[in-house]
Amino acid sequence: MIFDGNYTMTIAGRPVVSDKTLPVVNPATEQVIAHVPDASRAQLDAAVEAARAAFPAWSARPMAERQALVAAIGDCLLASKDAFSALLTAEQGRPRAGCDWEVATCADWCHAVSTFTLPVEVREEAGRRVEIRHTPLGVVGAITPWNAPILMAIWKMAPALLAGNTLVLKPSPYTPLTTLRLGELLRDVLPPGVVNIVTGGNDLGQWITDHPGIAKVSFTGSTATGKRVMESAARTLKRVTLEMGGNDAGIVLPDVDPKAVAPALFWGAFFNSAQVCVAIKRLYIHADIYDDVARELVDYARTIRIGDGSMQGSDLGPVQNRMQFDKVSSLIEQTKAEGHRFLIGGEVPEGPGYFIPVTIVDNPPEDARVVTEEAFGPILPLLKYDDIEDVIRRANDSESGLGGSVWSNDIDQARRIGERLQTGTVWINEMFAFSPHAPFGGHKQSGVGVEHGMAGLLEFTNIQTITSRPLAAAAG
Ligand code: NAD
């Protein structure tokens, strides 16, 4: 299927346009490739109303039917996978192979989540039956970022629906197209109102977090915005799950083969032009092999072609938007002004396109901005260490606690180090090993709650305890 150029919101199963629109820019060309509706507050109210109206029937549906419909969302993505992938490249910038991966992962996720069910725990105590069950919350407001828009949408949609909730979903204004398309296709799959897709700017996000008809906000984005979401959700005591930024450390032990490990380290840091919440953002390398790993990384980086993601042969695309381009460019300029040495990169070309070259910084001080801040763009500091205790302390010296990785031939030692990292996820000798069965979330200021696995599913529910005993016992 090839998608046409019109984009409509989905409210109550119907296409909805808006008086105002927002332009969507292809980050590789800086051309406006579409205009999407900029929802009014009344349109958000209509979406919430539709989701509330759909909730009683949807939540009462047998679990097997909800499971089948969540699987059908996956089928729907697979049926149009090439069109989704091409559209994702156009709006997000990432080369096609990475977009194919994102769309395929979305489908896999729906199929995996469709096998989950809500547990019921029964305890018998002194003639009393105690049943602990999980009930859906109502309407979930989902707010997603621009780095992996369709995956972030599915990570919320699949478990929220399976648990019996209905949804109002707002993608980032920078990357709304794939999510709008998904909404259009789901009009033929789901009952009206079960999934509503609205587009607009940051105000629309704020209205969702304020809205009294929404029971929970599931948010993925920056830590600064996440704090605003929590503050605003507090006014109506909405449940929140917040997946936010990280400043993840990778720790390379001295026993690795520098040449063999360099490609995995490179992609762990630079996949999606480093716009991944759990990318390696500080790479600690043991002093014994620092020079060798640095050289191998630079040699590997020289083989990488940066270009328009729709062109064959591009390994990395542009960063996704002007704001992020300016932010990363200014970080590069500051790093330069502070006198730190670049092993590669550091010169941002003139446009068109938000292209930033792979930039690697040679052992800057621990308090340099390029080390302390999440860049969310292709600039990586390499940092030297020679003592394990010291590197663990430095890795943990952050307000973030999203992920981390350890690289070694000695998996037991790597595990012992991993257990001491103050992060929600630790990967050993691999990166981005997400699983629908493994909870994912941030420690410290990287998150509240988790997504995925049973723990993630249960965040879309309330716990309900029902106790019972024979009436005769009460009378006695
Ligand atoms: P962002 O916080 O700017 O925006 C995220 C979403 O929130 C967008 O849809 C935006 O329109 C909306 N929004 C903005 N202001 C809002 C408000 N006041 N109330 C409600 N919603 C509002 O983040 P971004 O720049 O799109 O994404 C990049 C950030 O996301 C990075 O920090 C990255 O680490 C993080 N991220 C985290 C994860 C994770 O799972 N932990 C995954 C991907 C990205």
Side-chain angles (χ1 to χ4, degrees), residues 320-339:
Q320 200 281 321
N321 56 68
R322 164 66 63 185
M323 173 207 65
Q324 195 62 23
F325 176 81
D326 290 344
K327 217 177 115 187
V328 179
S329 302
S330 101
L331 182 59
I332 289 176
E333 284 313 310
Q334 180 171 349
T335 305
K336 215 180 277 177
E338 286 170 0

Side-chain angles (χ1 to χ4, degrees), residues 143-144 146-147 170 202 205 220-222 225 243-245 277 374:
I143 301 176
T144 55
W146 43 258
N147 60 336
K170 186 201 91 65
N202 296 346
T220 301
S222 64
T225 309
E243 295 289 356
M244 301 179 288
C277 53
E374 176 190 42

Side-chain angles (χ1 to χ4, degrees), residues 369-454:
R369 202 176 129 213
V370 70
V371 182
T372 59
E373 257 184 39
E374 176 190 42
F376 219 62
I379 174 165
L380 175 73
L382 307 185
L383 299 144
K384 206 179 279 189
Y385 76 91
D386 37 31
D387 174 63
I388 291 290
E389 290 305 314
D390 177 53
V391 77
I392 293 173
R393 184 191 56 73
R394 288 160 71 187
N396 285 335
D397 185 18
S398 169
E399 287 179 343
S400 303
L402 192 57
S405 58
V406 189
W407 303 81
S408 172
N409 283 306
D410 182 345
I411 292 190
D412 290 338
Q413 190 194 9
R415 245 191 90 90
R416 284 194 296 276
I417 293 169
E419 285 170 4
R420 293 178 61 195
L421 295 181
Q422 296 162 354
T423 60
T425 298
V426 177
W427 285 308
I428 295 172
N429 299 334
E430 61 180 355
M431 289 293 294
F432 312 140
F434 298 108
S435 159
H437 304 284
F440 172 77
H443 293 187
K444 301 197 264 188
Q445 294 195 22
S446 287
V448 172
V450 294
E451 292 188 304
H452 317 329
M454 188 50 71

